[in-house]
Amino acid sequence: MASWLPETLFEIVGQGPAPSKDYYQLLVTRSQVIFRWWKISLRSEYRSTKPGEIKETHEDFLENSHLQVQIAIIFGARIVDYVFNLCEGKFDFLERLSDDLLLRIISYLDLEDIARLSQTSRRFAKLCVSDKLWEQIVALACDTITPDMRALAADMGWRQMFFTNKLQLQRQLRKQKQKYGSQREKQL
């Protein structure tokens, strides 16, 4: 399964904690953890400082507490935990799926499951309220989607449309037809 993974598993860049202006990069490949830094300073003693780099195998990184502490200071404990999991072979394959594929999968879930999924991460929260998802859910629930329904969904959003009862939808569709009909008459 690991062969399905790209060569670069994770990459993050950032600036050191204040007052530092130093630049850092953490790169995790299939076989190595690479930590790079660039000193940025106006002081004359640091002007000739060259960028630095530490390359460790996954096994060596798991034992190198000094490097783990450095990474935690720069990027935080959550990043260290994530890199630790990658080095132990614990890959989050679901996180690597494209948004379109995840939306397709989510559209087949029950509404309660969608609500629970939206609470698991920022990415899933964003996907679970997206118009693309609710358009797919409406398409699965309805036999056909008319152009009038699409126009109404453009105004109110697919999620709102899904949760609006049928009588209210019919009333809003009539209002929209009247509105667009009167606008066309004015144009003529």
Side-chain angles (χ1 to χ4, degrees):
M1 258 216 222
S3 63
W4 294 350
L5 296 172
E7 181 58 33
T8 300
L9 301 177
F10 179 71
E11 181 177 11
I12 188 169
V13 295
Q15 186 176 347
S20 171
K21 301 281 187 217
D22 300 344
Y23 177 80
Y24 296 90
Q25 177 192 36
L26 176 63
L27 181 68
V28 182
T29 67
R30 284 191 206 172
S31 60
Q32 291 183 320
V33 175
I34 304 167
F35 184 64
R36 296 180 177 129
W37 61 91
W38 292 264
K39 285 275 189 197
I40 300 173
S41 176
L42 295 176
R43 292 184 167 186
S44 59
E45 66 261 21
Y46 292 118
R47 285 191 185 153
S48 62
T49 305
K50 298 202 182 323
E53 178 179 80
I54 296 175
K55 288 184 179 182
E56 297 275 355
T57 65
H58 288 190
E59 295 79 23
D60 290 341
F61 174 79
L62 294 172
E63 295 175 7
N64 190 339
S65 60
H66 179 70
L67 180 56
Q68 293 170 18
V69 168
Q70 280 183 297
I71 292 170
I73 290 170
I74 306 301
F75 298 110
R78 287 183 52 210
I79 297 297
V80 174
D81 289 341
Y82 185 68
V83 172
F84 213 88
N85 285 331
L86 288 175
C87 290
E88 288 179 334
K90 298 175 185 172
F91 305 109
D92 186 357
F93 289 99
L94 191 60
E95 185 66 32
R96 298 188 178 284
L97 295 177
S98 70
D99 284 353
D100 288 336
L101 185 55
L102 284 173
L103 286 171
R104 175 67 81 190
I105 293 167
I106 295 169
S107 70
Y108 290 100
L109 296 176
D110 294 330
L111 295 178
E112 298 86 21
D113 295 332
I114 292 173
R116 286 187 197 109
L117 181 64
S118 71
Q119 297 171 354
T120 60
S121 72
R122 287 185 189 139
R123 182 179 183 202
F124 282 122
K126 185 179 169 187
L127 289 173
C128 288
V129 296
S130 73
D131 243 18
K132 248 183 163 177
L133 170 67
W134 289 97
E135 181 179 3
Q136 291 177 12
I137 291 172
V138 169
L140 288 171
C142 296
D143 295 334
T144 59
I145 297 177
T146 65
D148 291 335
M149 289 173 68
R150 287 196 182 282
L152 182 60
D155 288 343
M156 71 185 315
W158 286 100
R159 184 171 187 258
Q160 181 68 35
M161 191 167 143
F162 180 82
F163 285 110
T164 303
N165 74 36
K166 221 174 191 176
L167 288 174
Q168 288 176 328
L169 276 178
Q170 289 172 347
R171 191 177 311 131
Q172 288 178 343
L173 281 169
R174 270 193 304 255
K175 283 182 184 178
Q176 190 174 27
K177 281 183 182 179
Q178 289 172 353
K179 177 181 163 184
Y180 286 120
S182 64
Q183 286 178 352
R184 286 185 185 142
E185 288 176 6
K186 288 178 185 178
Q187 290 174 351
L188 297 175

